């Protein structure tokens, strides 16, 4: 019987999570968000998500099998996840052909051209989104009104998102502030960005299950909160009893910080997009630097840039810096000599 | 109370201490024992018996061949039937002595009484070390480093404290746990002896919190022995690594490339301390040890006191036989133990346990692409970047391996344990580490 024993070098023990279980864990965390989007946007949300997931999986399969001539790994769930995240970054009344085109960009260009799972520099879903935003600016920024156009798909009644309205100089939306809507998700916007509570729930679930760590979401949200609060307070008048002229001049409009945090896909980005394993840094310090960078860039783009919401650009820009961050911010080393 | 532990990395595999409540059972003496000449790190001992020689229990049969080497004694009485290859877990037979057992006749100078002898003052530090050397004691946690080498503190250095490793952080293993419970007094005297040998007034016994009975019993006893303190530790693997135990207890980091003594620590295993007691107070060489035989499908997971050289097969039979679904037999624990090709290999001084794994857990998963999740980085207790180092090593980029401190790797396996993509990280770490160490050594020449 002795020749029946298996031998291999240690360790002989393994923790449970697998690539597949992690990917499906993220998908599970997205369920509440999906439910809210179905409630708010109805048929459009369903169709867009299905088309996006279907075409991402299809393209991945076709490319791996026929272009790379390898065994496709659809079961690992990464293509499904990219599909869901892409859909969640689109308005629900968008043409299915645009969605398919987006899927081709995400899988074909942003993922496979770089070498497939684990090798891409940029978040595939975001690359596709930004590509679509530039190619189809009109379709990408006409957002269906929530609830009332639930039963319509392409012919949905459209309205502005809070971020776009503010950018257009319409501050009325701030005056009749309704954070509750933003919190629950009955506002205009991309499929998956509207409900703060659902996104936060997903985030807590992922942190609790150790799928992600807190570093990236918390540092992004904290950075945005800090700077927008400073700006808000000083544009109202005073911070710490003093008016900080520089800051007051920079933030001329008094936008409540909660708008910045709850609106414009910030939570979707912070919790689900920026935390993508492949395109985020490795060490804890690196993750915090990455998060702070995204937070700052988002505010800069939102306040002084041309796009109403800077999240996607901010994440992509920081994606490009990840190799550098990984190089500079190595993990704390055990027994490192005190003085170099 | 907040339990102390080390800070960077570490993982929490489930304990699976199936045999924790099983008292130590004495294994019957087998018909034949196979005693390897290399049961320690360092040079194999020189065999001094010949075929046909009559030997007694405790008789020297192989002599230490240098400073970093250890004596080996016969664990049985009988006739030497062969001097030559004996079975080894690796499947490649190693040099050793085969003895056919006849009766159980001990050397006359061994005190076999059970009476506890606490008179430590009878011996000087030098005498203690001499007796430890003579008895062939090695680190019994699995590292098998000759104990007298550790206890000989270089003149220019000073031991601030002695740390006793009662952590047993490897899942499944319970040998040290049982020893701490059943040989508590002997352990305490052993600790006192080592304290004297290394000239320190302080000793800490580190025990993980999953052994509350051992913590309680030793804490109570420690009031009788001045200078010894029991430190309960939070559960975390690899807390039994010397460097991490020192960090957990003394909050000191052994600098890269240095030894525990450089931060004033001497670390010894709990089982070793009991062996020291027996060697010094009772003049008994290291001829038997406690071995855990365990596994999820093993009928009666047990702790056996077995003579060195007893074929492991007999221990497995005594624990209910090799289960039907066996796929792997591991000498040691699941994290750092060695998979064996056979069950004929003998119990050696460093055999802390035999773990039997079912077929479905015996195989590695097919590796998938690295998803750069950083879990290996978070898990590495040395603060290395296994995902990166394994790539450098695979591509033979030795300079980059060295720049990223591959030589710091303690081969604990935390990275592989936590990798969701089942990357064979440690295989490449080992390759890179040994190559880089070789390069560094050749540079010094
Ligand atoms: S085996 Fe080496 S690289 Fe892997 S976790 Fe342990 S020390 Fe780190
Ligand atoms: S744990 Fe595995 S998959 Fe994750 S970064 Fe390390 S090697 Fe890659």
């Amino acid at each position: 019987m002795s020749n029946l024993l298996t031998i291999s070098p240690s360790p002989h023990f393994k923790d449970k999570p697998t690539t597949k279980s992690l990917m499906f864990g993220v998908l599970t965390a997205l369920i509440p968000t999906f439910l809210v989007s179905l409630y708010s946007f109805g048929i459009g949300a369903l169709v867009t998500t299905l088309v996006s997931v279907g075409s991402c999986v299809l393209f991945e399969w076709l490319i791996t099998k026929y272009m790379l001539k390898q065994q496709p790994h659809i079961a690992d769930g990464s293509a499904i996840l990219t599909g869901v995240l892409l859909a969640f970054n689109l308005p629900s009344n968008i043409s299915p052909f645009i969605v398919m085109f987006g899927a081709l960009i995400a899988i074909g260009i942003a993922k496979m051209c770089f070498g497939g799972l684990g090798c891409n520099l940029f978040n595939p879903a975001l690359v596709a989104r930004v590509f679509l935003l530039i190619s189809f600016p009109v379709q990408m920024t006409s957002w269906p009104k929530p609830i009332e156009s639930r039963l319509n798909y392409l012919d949905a009644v459209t309205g502005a998102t809070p971020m776009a309205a503010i950018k257009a100089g319409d501050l009325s939306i701030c005056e009749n502030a309704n954070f509750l809507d933003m919190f629950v998700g009955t506002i205009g916007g991309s499929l998956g960005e509207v409900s703060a509570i659902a996104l936060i729930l997903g985030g807590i679930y992922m942190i609790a299950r150790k799928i992600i760590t807190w570093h990236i979401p918390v540092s992004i949200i904290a950075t945005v909160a800090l700077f927008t609060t400073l700006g808000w307070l000083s544009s109202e008048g005073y911070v710490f009893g003093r008016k900080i002229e520089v800051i007051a001049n920079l933030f001329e409009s008094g936008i409540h910080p909660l708008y910045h945090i709850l609106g414009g896909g910030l939570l979707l980005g912070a919790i689900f997009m920026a935390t993508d394993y492949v395109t985020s840094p490795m060490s804890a310090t690196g993750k915090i630097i990455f998060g702070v960078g995204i937070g700052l860039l988002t505010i800069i783009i939102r306040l002084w840039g041309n796009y109403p919401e800077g999240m996607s650009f901010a994440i992509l820009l920081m994606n490009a810096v990840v190799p550098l961050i990984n190089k500079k911010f190595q993990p704390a080393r055990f027994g490192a000599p005190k003085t170099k | 109370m907040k339990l102390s532990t080390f800070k960077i990395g570490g993982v929490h595999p489930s304990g699976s201490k199936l045999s924790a409540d099983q008292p130590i059972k004495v294994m019957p003496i087998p018909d034949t024992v196979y005693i390897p000449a290399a049961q320690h790190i360092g040079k194999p001992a020189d065999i001094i018996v010949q075929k046909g020689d009559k030997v007694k229990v405790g008789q020297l049969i192989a002599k230490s061949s240098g400073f970093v080497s250890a004596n080996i004694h016969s664990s049985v009485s009988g006739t030497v039937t062969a001097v030559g290859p004996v079975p080894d877990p690796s499947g490649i037979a190693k040099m050793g002595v085969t003895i056919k057992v006849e009766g159980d006749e001990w050397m006359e100078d061994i005190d076999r009484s059970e009476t506890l002898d606490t008179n430590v003052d009878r011996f000087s530090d030098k005498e203690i070390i001499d007796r430890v050397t003579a008895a062939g004691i090695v680190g019994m946690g699995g590292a098998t480093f000759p104990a007298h080498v550790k206890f000989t503190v270089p003149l220019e250095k000073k031991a601030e404290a002695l740390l006793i490793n009662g952590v047993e952080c490897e899942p499944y293993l319970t040998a040290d746990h049982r020893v701490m419970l059943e040989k508590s007094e002997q352990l305490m005297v052993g600790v006192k002896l080592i304290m004297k040998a290394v000239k320190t007034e302080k000793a800490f016994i580190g025990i993980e919190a999953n052994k509350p009975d051992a913590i309680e019993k030793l804490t109570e006893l420690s009031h009788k022995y001045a200078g010894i303190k029991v430190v309960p530790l939070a559960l975390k693997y690899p807390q039994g690594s010397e460097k991490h135990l020192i960090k957990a207890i003394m909050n000191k980091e052994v600098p890269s490339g240095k030894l525990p003594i450089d931060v004033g620590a001497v670390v010894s295993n709990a089982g070793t301390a009991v062996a020291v007691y027996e060697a010094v107070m009772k003049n008994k060489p290291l001829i038997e040890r406690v071995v855990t035989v365990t596994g999820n499908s093993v009928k009666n997971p047990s702790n056996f006191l077995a003579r060195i050289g007893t074929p492991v097969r007999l221990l497995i039979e005594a624990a209910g036989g090799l289960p039907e679904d066996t796929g792997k037999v591991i000498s040691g624990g699941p994290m750092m133990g060695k998979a064996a090709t056979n069950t004929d290999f003998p119990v050696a001084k460093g055999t802390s346990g035999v773990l039997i794994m079912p077929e479905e857990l015996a195989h590695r998963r097919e590796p998938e692409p690295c998803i750069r999740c950083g879990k290996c980085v978070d898990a590495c207790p040395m603060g290395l970047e296994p995902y990166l180092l394994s790539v450098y090593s695979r591509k033979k980029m030795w300079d980059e391996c060295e720049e990223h401190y591959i030589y710091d790797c303690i081969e604990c396996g935390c990275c592989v344990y936590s990798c969701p993509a089942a990357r064979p990280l440690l295989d490449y770490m080992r390759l890179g580490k040994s190559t880089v160490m070789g390069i560094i050594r050749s540079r010094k020449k």
Side-chain angles (χ1 to χ4, degrees):
Chain A
M1 66 121 280
S2 61
N3 51 358
L4 294 179
L5 293 178
T6 306
I7 53 162
S8 63
S10 65
H12 310 284
F13 220 34
K14 216 139 155 23
D15 206 1
K16 290 206 186 62
T18 61
T19 304
K20 189 172 164 181
S21 78
L22 290 173
M23 296 291 171
F24 282 93
V26 180
L27 286 170
T28 311
L30 283 163
I31 289 176
T33 309
F34 185 55
L35 293 180
V36 174
S37 76
L38 282 183
Y39 174 78
S40 288
F41 303 116
I43 301 179
L46 186 66
V47 175
T48 308
T49 311
L50 287 182
V51 170
S52 176
V53 171
S55 31
C56 279
V57 170
L58 182 71
F59 289 133
E60 166 125 354
W61 191 80
L62 286 175
I63 293 173
T64 351
K65 182 141 182 127
Y66 293 105
M67 289 176 72
L68 305 177
K69 309 235 186 293
Q70 289 165 2
Q71 189 59 33
H73 288 282
I74 300 299
D76 67 18
S78 71
I80 304 176
L81 182 59
T82 303
V84 172
L85 288 176
L86 173 63
F88 279 17
N89 274 288
L90 301 174
S92 62
N93 61 342
I94 198 157
S95 147
F97 296 106
I98 299 185
V99 179
M100 281 155 127
F101 188 55
L104 183 61
I105 301 288
I107 298 293
I109 297 195
K111 185 175 174 188
M112 289 309 180
C113 277
F114 282 87
L117 181 63
C119 302
N120 46 307
L121 189 57
F122 298 102
N123 186 318
L126 282 181
V127 170
R129 165 166 209 251
V130 166
F131 195 89
L132 295 182
L133 194 61
I134 297 167
S135 316
F136 307 93
V138 182
Q139 290 88 332
M140 284 293 288
T141 52
S142 71
W143 316 93
K145 284 212 163 123
I147 316 289
E148 54 187 86
S149 51
R150 261 194 289 201
L151 296 178
N152 312 66
Y153 171 34
L154 295 174
D155 52 348
V157 186
T158 59
T161 70
M163 275 299 137
I166 292 168
K167 192 75 213 170
D170 170 15
L171 289 183
S172 63
I173 197 159
C174 296
E175 266 126 50
N176 43 42
N178 194 345
F179 294 129
L180 192 66
D181 281 344
M182 297 182 81
F183 214 68
V184 176
T186 46
I187 51 165
S190 298
L191 263 184
E193 71 179 32
V194 291
S195 169
I197 182 89
L199 291 164
I200 292 172
L201 257 176
I204 292 173
Y205 170 81
M206 289 200 293
I207 293 174
R209 270 202 48 196
K210 298 208 167 72
I211 297 172
I212 58 168
T213 58
W214 58 268
H215 304 87
I216 295 176
V218 170
S219 58
I220 295 180
I221 296 167
T223 308
V224 171
L226 179 74
F227 283 91
T228 52
T229 309
L230 270 182
W232 184 59
L233 289 178
S234 56
S235 67
E236 297 269 298
Y238 300 92
V239 187
F240 308 128
R242 257 186 310 152
K243 184 161 178 130
I244 303 175
E245 291 290 342
V246 199
I247 298 181
N249 292 342
L250 281 177
F251 294 78
E252 74 262 343
S253 60
I255 304 166
H256 196 284
L258 266 183
Y259 272 104
H260 279 288
I261 294 169
L262 299 181
L266 186 105
L267 289 175
L268 177 65
I271 297 170
F272 288 100
M273 314 298 292
T275 52
D276 170 39
Y277 289 141
V278 181
T279 55
S280 63
M282 291 284 180
S283 68
T285 335
K287 284 178 181 157
I288 290 175
I289 309 263
F290 179 72
V292 171
I294 292 175
L296 285 178
L297 285 172
T298 305
I299 299 174
I300 292 173
I301 298 171
R302 279 189 185 179
L303 294 180
W304 302 292
N306 264 331
Y307 286 91
E309 31 169 306
M311 199 63 194
S312 314
F313 292 99
I315 297 177
L316 288 175
L317 281 171
M318 289 307 290
N319 280 166
V321 194
V322 166
L324 204 64
I325 296 181
N326 278 340
K327 210 166 175 148
K328 276 284 156 233
F329 298 93
Q330 285 168 13
R333 177 179 163 223
F334 187 100
K338 290 267 142 41
T339 46
K340 275 255 160 125
Chain B
M1 192 185 82
K2 191 160 180 323
L3 298 171
S4 48
T5 183
F6 60 95
K7 300 287 162 342
I8 302 172
V11 292
H12 300 92
S14 72
S16 309
K17 306 276 192 185
L18 308 173
S19 48
D21 297 329
Q22 299 299 322
I24 299 168
K25 277 182 276 207
V26 178
M27 267 300 283
I29 303 168
D31 297 339
T32 313
V33 291
Y34 305 91
I35 303 178
Q39 300 182 39
H40 46 262
I41 289 179
K43 284 196 198 153
D46 295 329
I47 296 171
I48 55 166
V49 288
Q50 279 161 10
K51 187 173 169 183
D53 284 3
K54 294 271 180 207
V55 292
K56 292 182 187 171
V57 180
Q59 184 178 332
L60 189 69
I61 54 170
K63 247 177 85 178
S64 163
S65 59
F67 184 51
V68 187
S69 184
N71 284 340
I72 291 169
H73 304 79
S74 177
S75 58
V76 293
S77 60
T79 312
V80 174
T81 55
V83 172
V86 293
D88 186 82
S90 69
I92 302 161
K94 299 266 163 72
M95 198 57 190
V97 178
T98 308
I99 303 168
K100 192 162 173 306
V101 178
E102 292 146 7
D104 189 29
E105 195 186 332
W106 289 54
M107 296 290 283
E108 292 73 31
D109 52 359
I110 299 175
D111 174 3
R112 295 186 66 193
S113 70
E114 285 292 317
T115 42
L116 184 75
D117 186 347
T118 58
N119 188 5
V120 174
D121 298 330
R122 276 194 288 153
F123 303 98
S124 71
D125 51 315
K126 174 130 192 340
E127 281 166 329
I128 294 172
I129 293 179
D130 286 348
R131 286 192 169 221
V132 167
T133 316
I137 296 177
V138 302
M140 289 167 75
T144 64
F145 196 76
H148 61 269
V149 182
K150 262 194 199 171
F151 299 163
T152 310
V153 179
L155 279 178
E156 71 281 7
K157 290 177 185 150
K158 201 184 145 354
E160 261 175 53
L162 168 68
L163 306 190
I164 297 297
N165 184 349
V167 168
E168 208 159 47
C169 58
E170 277 266 11
Y172 289 98
L173 301 188
T174 55
D176 282 347
H177 183 183
R178 291 315 304 184
V179 168
M180 287 191 284
L181 275 178
E182 297 179 35
K183 302 251 161 105
S184 326
E185 294 265 7
Q186 291 91 326
L187 169 68
M188 286 299 185
V189 180
V191 174
K192 274 296 206 191
L193 289 167
I194 306 175
M195 284 163 74
K196 190 155 182 187
V198 302
K199 302 185 201 68
T200 179
E201 299 297 314
K202 273 192 297 185
F204 300 100
I205 306 179
I207 308 175
E208 285 197 344
N210 59 353
K211 299 180 253 306
D213 45 356
I215 295 176
E216 194 183 326
K217 184 147 190 207
L218 293 184
T219 309
E220 212 180 288
L221 269 183
S222 68
H223 303 310
K224 283 204 294 186
Y225 295 87
I228 305 182
K229 198 169 164 264
V230 174
V231 187
L233 300 169
L235 289 182
K236 188 144 90 168
Y237 177 88
Q239 197 141 245
S241 130
E242 283 191 343
K243 290 183 172 182
H244 294 87
L245 189 68
I246 294 170
K247 176 73 184 168
I249 295 181
M250 297 169 74
N251 195 22
K252 282 187 181 171
E253 277 183 21
V254 180
S256 171
K258 294 277 174 15
L259 295 170
I261 191 67
D262 293 309
V263 295
V266 174
V267 186
S268 185
N269 169 270
T272 315
V274 174
V276 168
Y277 164 83
E278 292 179 339
V280 179
M281 308 306 267
K282 304 281 183 176
N283 208 20
K284 179 183 155 199
L286 184 47
I287 52 146
E288 54 188 4
R289 69 154 298 146
V290 178
V291 184
T292 303
V293 179
T294 182
N296 291 347
S297 325
V298 172
K299 212 179 278 155
N300 310 306
S302 318
N303 303 292
F304 294 113
L305 179 67
R307 299 282 171 99
I308 301 295
T310 308
V312 157
R313 179 171 32 86
L314 300 179
L315 273 66
I316 297 174
E317 273 161 26
L322 201 65
E324 278 287 304
D325 62 353
T326 301
K328 210 180 218 179
V329 173
I330 297 161
S331 166
M335 295 298 286
M336 291 185 84
K338 289 192 173 65
T341 54
N342 60 79
T343 56
D344 295 326
F345 70 91
V347 170
K349 291 176 181 177
T351 312
S352 48
V354 176
L355 169 62
I356 295 160
M357 287 185 116
E359 178 66 22
E360 79 247 28
L361 294 178
H363 301 277
R364 290 180 168 193
R365 257 176 45 218
E366 195 65 29
E368 293 160 20
C370 166
I371 51 170
R372 306 176 68 85
C373 62
K375 287 192 189 293
C376 54
V377 178
D378 290 339
C380 179
M382 297 308 289
L384 304 179
E385 297 163 290
Y387 76 100
L388 189 66
L389 283 166
S390 62
V391 174
Y392 284 154
S393 167
R394 193 180 71 215
K395 297 191 173 161
K396 300 192 169 58
M397 295 162 72
W398 310 128
D399 289 344
E400 282 77 4
C401 283
E402 190 180 345
E403 273 164 30
H404 286 81
Y405 323 110
I406 201 165
Y407 45 79
D408 278 349
C409 173
I410 56 168
E411 306 186 19
C412 63
C414 290
C415 47
V416 181
Y417 174 79
S418 49
C419 177
R423 310 278 318 149
L425 299 165
L426 183 48
D427 299 358
Y428 286 118
M429 295 295 294
R430 286 197 181 102
L431 169 70
K433 180 179 163 186
S434 61
T435 312
V436 168
M437 301 274 259
I439 294 173
I440 295 176
R441 268 196 300 274
S442 67
R443 221 179 270 150
K444 281 191 189 135
K445 274 181 198 146

